[in-house]
Amino acid sequence: MAGGGPTRPSPWGDEGEENMLMRESRRRLLGRLEREFGREPEVSYKSGDMDGIAAYHNWVRDRRPGEFHIDGVTWFDLDMDRLFKRMNAAQSTPGEQYLYHLLHTPALDAGESPRRRGLISLGGGGEDERLRIQYVLARLGRFRRADVRRVFAPEAHGAARLALYVLLALCFTLSPLLAIPCGPGALAATVGLFILNTMLRELVLRRVQGDFDAVNFSVAMVFALRRLKRLGIPRLDGQLRGAYAALERLRPILRTGGVSRSGSGDMGDLISSVFLLDLIVYEYLKTRLAGLGGELTAVFEALGGVDAGIAIASWRELQGQGCEPELGFDGAGAESRALVHPLLKNAVPNDWDGESSALVTGSNASGKSTYLRTVLLSALLSECVCTCPGESYRGGAFRIYSSMAPEDDIFSGESYYMAEIRAVKRILDAAAQEGPRVLCVLDEVLRGTNTIERIAAAGEILSALDSLGCLCLAATHDVELCSLLEGRFRLLHFEEHIDGGEMAFDYLARPGRARTRNAIRLLELMGLGGEITERADERARRFMETGSWTAGEGEEGQ
């Protein structure tokens, strides 16, 4: 570079002078970031990756037991892994781990929701600024081997190992000087130290690879935050002011840099082996980082929040529909218009009047379960990522639960019915505790038992939930529940009609109870014999008229 004046700060947060290769690499990366915003993320996931992505959330959950998080049952019922992957346009490990955590953690106080809106706003308002931010985050990249427990609380061995490695390196350095006074013995000592240092390095690196990766990742995060600060973007600085304070306390780490590892078999690797250079730097950094766990956590959360916010903004663009919800924190109900399921193409919009609990009836495949999931997702996404997949949403802050698809466990011996009871009990227990109002959905309550006891018990469970102040949506085929709960639960239903010999649905929620049945008709449409379906239909008709089951023609006395 011509001239001797000071180097101007890079608008991309880079340090030092650029070469042509760096400029070309940046051009390609920026082109990719520009193309991918607002599109379906093309992120690959290997076996075990989701466990790594969950690491930060698990770490937070273990350390903040009083904080509400969506539990595993609700996460599974709503197919949240698939929704996360559709939303995960994050460029870095902190970003995707923080996004995963946000989707588990509804904002239940008036201060948290505006903070999240501020992070999401970084994805809009100026493409140039967004690309500069994403460029820094993409350079940090995804490193799913990084264990956040080691990042936030690096293990420190103290000064003993550091002193040992320095001593061995000095001994090897000085041993050739003893060759003149000591003769062949000094040469043997040099060879011995060469072998000792090389073997020691290989053994230590195999044992501490996880910590080694964590130390380097920690240092890379600190450098990434410094690059973001150097961008000089006021609205970004406003979000990261607290993390910048932590950056000041991490200045010694910036001076040292990370632990470099040379390729196997080259001269750099040989020098590192005999002088233990990477082990010395590794122990020094671990000792320095051991007392900076809080600062590293702040750096991780700052990078993750910015990256996750931009990913959410990209998902909003991808959805092409939705709104910013109006959230209150006064325990009120909810009201929303034209809600759609965010994972379905051409989903039919439905309204939700959440001023009271509701009981949903309707035929098989008519849309009951999808409606329940849509309502619960609209509340969850409104609270977690400040985005509702619908035209409008106004509601309170809820603790969110579901019981939709419990599973039996042949290994533990737990039946389907027992799994249902456990799923329902956790909702009752939550509703009995102090805290924000519970919003829950239950699909076919206690379907794993007989009809008479199911109706009796389900009616009492739903009444209890309503009495405890829950806002509850339940779907059922048991129309008897409508009579038991009418007056406490608003009634909704879905319908079907026969079109060209096939069952057709419009998937629209309507007021009132269901007046049609289709289970027997579906048997006929799927090719079961007409005699079976005719007799089944006649049995059902007699039961609806008399309230009791009777043997059919030709079955008396059997």
Side-chain angles (χ1 to χ4, degrees), residues 363 496 498 503 515-524 528-546 548-550 552-553 555:
S363 302
E496 80 290 336
I498 306 298
M503 196 74 69
R515 300 294 180 183
T516 60
R517 296 175 285 110
N518 75 351
I520 296 174
R521 181 62 169 148
L522 280 173
L523 295 178
E524 182 180 353
L528 272 73
E531 182 179 353
I532 292 176
T533 56
E534 287 175 10
R535 290 176 60 181
D537 199 52
E538 178 60 23
R539 283 181 184 270
R541 185 188 61 79
R542 286 202 303 267
F543 175 80
M544 296 296 290
E545 292 175 353
T546 66
S548 63
W549 295 105
T550 59
E553 181 181 350
E555 294 183 357

Side-chain angles (χ1 to χ4, degrees), residues 248-249 332 407 501 509:
E248 291 301 315
R249 295 188 288 274
E407 295 182 321

Side-chain angles (χ1 to χ4, degrees), residues 208-414:
V208 301
Q209 185 61 53
D211 264 347
F212 204 94
D213 293 338
V215 166
N216 274 339
F217 184 68
S218 301
V219 174
M221 289 195 308
V222 177
F223 274 99
L225 183 60
R226 185 169 75 171
R227 292 187 184 103
L228 289 181
K229 184 178 181 181
R230 289 182 170 181
L231 294 179
I233 300 174
R235 61 197 184 108
L236 174 65
D237 295 340
Q239 296 291 331
L240 301 184
R241 193 166 289 112
Y244 290 162
L247 192 60
E248 291 301 315
R249 295 188 288 274
L250 291 163
R251 199 172 285 277
I253 307 304
L254 293 169
R255 287 196 293 267
T256 305
V259 188
S260 63
R261 293 207 43 194
S262 303
S264 177
D266 63 12
M267 183 58 67
D269 194 52
L270 178 62
I271 293 173
S272 289
S273 294
V274 296
F275 292 104
L276 304 176
L277 297 181
D278 43 11
L279 293 188
I280 291 172
V281 176
Y282 161 69
E283 287 296 337
Y284 170 77
L285 284 172
K286 277 187 63 177
T287 302
R288 298 302 300 261
L289 290 171
L292 296 169
E295 286 77 5
L296 291 174
T297 304
V299 171
F300 183 97
E301 291 175 342
L303 296 171
V306 170
D307 203 1
I310 295 175
I312 295 166
S314 178
W315 174 72
R316 284 180 172 182
E317 189 81 9
L318 171 66
Q319 288 294 107
Q321 56 185 343
C323 67
E324 286 207 8
E326 299 176 37
L327 294 179
F329 300 90
D330 53 3
E335 182 181 13
S336 52
R337 296 288 175 262
L339 300 179
V340 295
H341 194 294
L343 291 175
L344 296 181
K345 293 182 178 180
N346 304 315
V348 175
N350 272 298
D351 297 342
W352 173 43
D353 180 1
E355 295 303 316
S356 64
S357 296
L359 184 66
V360 185
T361 55
S363 302
N364 297 285
S366 60
K368 300 187 303 297
S369 298
T370 299
Y371 179 71
L372 264 58
R373 288 186 171 91
T374 300
V375 168
L376 208 61
L377 280 169
S378 71
L380 180 63
L381 294 174
S382 293
E383 295 180 52
C384 291
V385 297
C386 309
T387 309
C388 174
E391 287 184 3
S392 67
Y393 182 96
R394 178 179 55 80
F398 300 108
R399 290 175 291 158
I400 293 172
Y401 291 90
S402 70
S403 175
M404 301 192 71
E407 295 182 321
D408 54 6
D409 189 340
I410 61 173
F411 298 105
S412 68
E414 183 174 78

Side-chain angles (χ1 to χ4, degrees), residues 26 62 117 144 179 257 307 321 333 434 441 494-495 497 530:
R26 185 176 65 231
D62 292 344
R117 291 175 192 264
R144 290 173 178 160
D307 203 1
Q321 56 185 343
E434 291 187 5
V441 300
F494 288 81
E495 296 180 353
H497 62 279

